């Protein structure tokens, strides 16, 4: 019996210039490295069948599932500020769309499935390490409650991919609310194809904002609000995306493309990880500005739909884009207050937040632990927090002032519980991610499995997992991460 996936495609019925119909390139010897069983179940798929020979072949791109007509989607994008009029899925294929039992529609995409007409110079392949990195970090983000694409599986191809050195090849199966990007709109706008921009906008609205049919201004505002909230969520966790090009920014508001991303340890707003981000364009603190820059590109692409007169359309775009700053500030401030355990808002709270961030920066305090240790400090155990914040009289004074302020919030037990629910103990620390990927490249997936299990439950501190909650020692520190090409 063949494994038929219940694909219900809509994108493939858009005009031909939106994609290229193409099957995955053959691979030597697919073998399952990791299947995301809970995610498969949430999608209404049978994990046992996906783990079987036919499932592995399909998730590795070695064969096409019955009912699937894979496509490579075309898009454009500004990469580090420079515009490429045509990018597109250069090493990915959309296998089809699935309706989950809860009624939500998802794309199932393979990444690393071979060359496409959009590969430019690339080989269309992916290495095992970067695909496992995307698996770990995207699944960690999901467990942390951040909107994100998901990872359904990683299948080793049995082939070697040539990068700076030969590496084992792999294919990631990615699940997303859609793969519509700011760059998808830019592709058609750059060609002056207003009819296609409208078709795409109508499609995106139907898929993500069905209440906004025909309301392109409302649609732009909705994307802006989603992205503002998303960037705030990233920053509240110390996450640096690293490659916020317009082709890596979704319309759905999900985080996509886990290349040179990382969670910062010592708090420094100027933190950059990407080895190719020489000017800090996508540094931690620059992310809201860059998101707004990208959304400005989306607004430009939508201009012909916003009003008939160009000047009127521009005025609408500018006004709508003006919503980003306040939306980000609202999400950021509300998130910080929550991280400090403050449910009610008082006028002095903003200063309290500001002072904590200053103390953290001065001490280069571990971002994740500084917030997490607030819970113990709330319970009276202030020494670990004080040590993290540099042990200074200023830090001690801050802790005392914060504890006094916190006293106005509920009872002691619920205060600590709220702090623990807002501040994770486990995040994908870069040195642990690298350790897991290096072992996996050498055939040992145990560290990957262990790390994935820890990150699946990031808010519950468990005995025996101390090393997962400990920042890198000087010699362990990974200062740069590399694009997954
Ligand atoms: P990314 O930096 O992963 O967002 O990719 C940017 C563009 O490069 C996209 O169009 C990708 O499909 C393409 N790309 C990345 N790696 C490869 C590769 N190995 N082969 C072909 N295209 C690639
Ligand atoms: Mg990309």
């Amino acid at each position: 019996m063949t494994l038929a996936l219940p694909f219900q495609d809509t994108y493939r019925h858009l005009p031909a210039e939106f994609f290229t119909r193409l099957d995955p390139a053959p691979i030597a010897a697919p073998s399952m490295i990791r299947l995301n069983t809970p995610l498969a179940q949430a999608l209404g798929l049978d994990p046992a069948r996906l783990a079987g020979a036919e499932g592995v072949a399909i998730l590795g791109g070695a064969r096409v599932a019955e009912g699937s007509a894979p496509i490579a989607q075309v898009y454009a994008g500004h990469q580090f500020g420079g515009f490429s009029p045509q990018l597109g899925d250069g090493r990915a294929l959309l296998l089809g769309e699935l309706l989950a039992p809860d009624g939500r529609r998802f794309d199932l995409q393979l990444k690393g499935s071979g060359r496409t007409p959009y590969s430019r110079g690339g080989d269309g392949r992916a290495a095992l390490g970067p695909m496992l990195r995307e698996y770990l970090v995207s699944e960690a983000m999901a467990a942390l409650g951040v909107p994100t694409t998901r990872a359904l599986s990683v299948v080793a191809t049995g082939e070697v991919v040539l990068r700076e050195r030969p590496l084992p090849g792999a294919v990631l199966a990615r699940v997303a609310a859609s793969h519509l990007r700011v760059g998808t709109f830019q592709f058609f706008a750059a060609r002056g194809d207003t009819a296609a921009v409208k078709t795409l906008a109508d499609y995106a609205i139907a898929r993500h904002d069905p209440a906004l049919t025909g309301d392109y201004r409302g649609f732009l505002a909705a994307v802006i609000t989603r992205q503002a909230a998303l960037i705030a969520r990233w920053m509240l966790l110390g996450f640096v995306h690293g490659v916020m090009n317009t082709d890596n920014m979704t319309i759905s508001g999900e985080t996509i493309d886990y290349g040179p991303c990382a969670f910062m340890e010592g708090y420094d707003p100027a933190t950059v990880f990407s080895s190719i981000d020489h000017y800090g364009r996508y540094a931690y603190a620059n992310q809201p500005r860059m998101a707004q820059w990208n959304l400005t590109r989306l607004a430009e692409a939508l201009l012909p739909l916003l009003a008939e007169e160009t000047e009127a359309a521009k005025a609408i775009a500018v006004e709508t884009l003006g919503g980003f700053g306040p939306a980000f500030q609202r999400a950021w401030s509300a998130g910080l207050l929550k991280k400090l355990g403050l449910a009610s808002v008082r006028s002095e709270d903003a200063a309290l937040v500001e002072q904590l961030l200053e103390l953290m920066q001065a001490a280069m305090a571990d971002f994740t632990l500084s917030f997490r240790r607030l819970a113990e400090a709330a319970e009276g155990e202030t020494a670990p927090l004080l040590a993290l914040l540099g042990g200074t009289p200023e830090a001690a004074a801050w802790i005392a002032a914060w504890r006094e302020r916190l006293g106005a919030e509920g009872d002691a037990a619920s205060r600590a519980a709220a702090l623990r629910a807002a501040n994770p103990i486990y995040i994908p620390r870069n040195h642990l991610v690298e350790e897991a990927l290096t072992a996996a490249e050498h055939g040992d997936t145990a560290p990957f499995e262990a790390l994935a299990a820890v990150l699946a439950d990031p808010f519950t501190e468990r005995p025996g997992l101390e090393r997962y909650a400990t920042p890198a020692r000087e010699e362990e520190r990974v200062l740069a991460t590399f694009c997954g090409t």
Side-chain angles (χ1 to χ4, degrees), residues 375-454:
E376 285 90 82
E379 292 168 327
E381 198 190 324
T382 55
L385 178 62
L386 182 60
L388 274 168
L389 297 180
T392 59
E394 291 77 22
W398 184 88
I399 294 173
W402 168 73
R403 289 193 67 201
E404 193 175 323
R405 167 67 183 88
L406 193 67
E409 301 286 340
D411 61 281
S414 67
R415 284 197 289 267
L419 282 161
R420 289 194 174 92
N423 297 303
I425 176 74
Y426 307 116
I427 46 115
R429 293 184 181 272
N430 217 8
H431 64 294
L432 298 174
V433 173
E434 292 297 327
E435 177 190 85
L437 305 192
T438 304
E441 268 174 22
H442 293 94
D444 176 13
T445 54
F448 169 85
E449 294 293 336
L451 184 55
V454 170

Side-chain angles (χ1 to χ4, degrees), residues 14 24 51 160 214 269 316 357 364 377 381 424 466 477-478 482:
L14 291 175
V160 164
I316 292 170
L357 292 175
M364 278 291 271
E381 198 190 324
E466 289 72 18
R477 206 171 290 160
V478 182
F482 303 91

Side-chain angles (χ1 to χ4, degrees), residues 32-43 45 47 50 59 98 106-111 128-143 146-155 170-177 179 254-258 437 448-449 452 455-456:
M32 185 66 81
I33 300 291
R34 167 88 177 185
L35 176 68
N36 190 338
T37 303
L39 180 59
Q41 282 161 340
L43 292 171
L45 304 175
L50 287 180
L59 293 173
L98 292 166
F106 291 99
D107 277 4
L108 179 59
Q109 193 204 55
L110 297 186
K111 187 168 171 181
L128 178 64
M131 295 307 100
L132 290 177
R133 166 184 283 277
E134 173 153 345
Y135 190 110
L136 277 175
V137 185
S138 67
E139 287 305 301
M141 292 287 261
V146 183
T148 178
T149 64
R150 303 287 304 270
L152 179 61
S153 61
V154 175
V155 169
V171 171
L172 172 84
R174 179 159 74 183
V175 173
H179 283 85
E254 288 182 339
T255 313
I256 194 169
D257 243 322
Y258 292 85
L437 305 192
F448 169 85
E449 294 293 336
L455 295 173

Side-chain angles (χ1 to χ4, degrees), residues 179-352:
H179 283 85
L180 299 173
R181 308 149 191 264
V182 169
T184 321
F185 284 88
Q186 287 182 287
F187 175 78
F188 296 107
R191 306 199 317 176
D193 190 345
T194 301
V197 173
K198 182 173 183 305
T199 300
L200 182 62
D202 290 337
Y203 178 86
I205 290 170
R207 197 149 168 187
H208 297 297
D209 298 289
L212 297 174
T213 307
D215 178 3
Y216 303 110
R217 177 191 190 147
F219 167 64
L220 176 61
V223 179
I224 287 170
T225 307
R226 285 196 281 270
Q227 284 292 339
L230 178 67
I231 308 300
R233 298 293 294 276
W234 290 356
M235 293 181 62
L236 290 163
L237 292 163
F239 179 75
V240 183
H241 182 280
V243 60
M244 289 175 67
N245 296 331
T246 56
D247 52 308
N248 292 336
M249 180 174 267
T250 60
I251 297 306
S252 66
E254 288 182 339
T255 313
I256 194 169
D257 243 322
Y258 292 85
C261 61
F263 287 73
M264 87 178 141
E265 297 199 309
Y267 177 54
D268 175 5
T271 300
V272 178
F273 292 103
S274 168
S275 59
I276 57 170
D277 190 359
H278 303 298
Y279 301 103
R281 180 179 173 90
Y282 300 136
Y284 171 80
N286 241 4
Q287 296 182 115
R289 198 175 322 154
M290 284 301 112
Q292 185 159 20
W293 192 92
N294 290 347
L295 292 163
T296 306
R297 307 286 83 79
L298 176 64
E300 284 168 0
L302 292 174
L303 275 182
L305 309 185
L306 295 178
E308 273 179 27
E309 296 279 314
T310 308
E311 288 312 309
K314 280 186 187 164
I316 292 170
V318 167
E319 197 189 322
T320 311
L321 286 163
F324 181 88
F328 172 79
Q329 269 310 326
R330 269 196 306 277
W332 169 245
S333 302
L336 279 172
L337 289 176
K338 211 170 158 200
K339 285 177 86 68
L340 265 66
L342 307 178
S344 60
V345 184
R346 294 188 180 179
S347 55
E348 70 266 28
D349 291 347
L352 212 52

Side-chain angles (χ1 to χ4, degrees), residues 451-468:
L451 184 55
V454 170
L455 295 173
D457 186 8
F459 295 99
T460 313
E461 192 160 5
R462 283 100 84 195
L465 300 183
E466 289 72 18
R467 74 183 292 261
Y468 295 98

